[in-house]
Amino acid sequence: MVPTPILWVVGFVAAAVFAVMIHSVATFRRSSGGQRNPLAEILWAIVPIFIMVSTALPAVRMLAADRAASTVQAYNADRK
């Protein structure tokens, strides 16, 4: 496999995300008397779910439209 520019970008983004994650875990470790923030925890769970759903819906619509078009093309090819 030949590395392409997009592969380098994806690798850089992944490395940056892991670096920030490791830094956050090391810096903001909860001490024994730490307080919890339920609103922050709920948002921490809901925001990624919203991001994933909002990116998945257009992809599913595109795939469904592509499948419908290929079905029509296959039907028309059989009729010839």
Side-chain angles (χ1 to χ4, degrees):
M1 181 167 100
V2 177
T4 60
I6 192 74
L7 181 63
W8 289 107
V9 170
V10 169
F12 176 76
V13 169
V17 167
F18 277 105
V20 169
M21 183 177 64
I22 290 169
H23 170 71
S24 297
V25 167
T27 304
F28 303 111
R29 229 184 294 192
R30 186 176 358 158
S31 62
S32 60
Q35 302 229 347
R36 298 182 76 142
N37 185 347
L39 177 61
E41 291 182 10
I42 290 170
L43 289 175
W44 191 255
I46 291 177
V47 168
I49 292 170
F50 174 75
I51 291 170
M52 291 188 67
V53 168
S54 66
T55 57
L57 287 177
V60 169
R61 287 183 186 139
M62 183 186 68
L63 289 171
D66 184 50
R67 183 176 177 120
S70 65
T71 302
V72 169
Q73 289 173 354
Y75 177 76
N76 288 337
D78 288 343
R79 295 192 73 198
K80 289 182 180 181

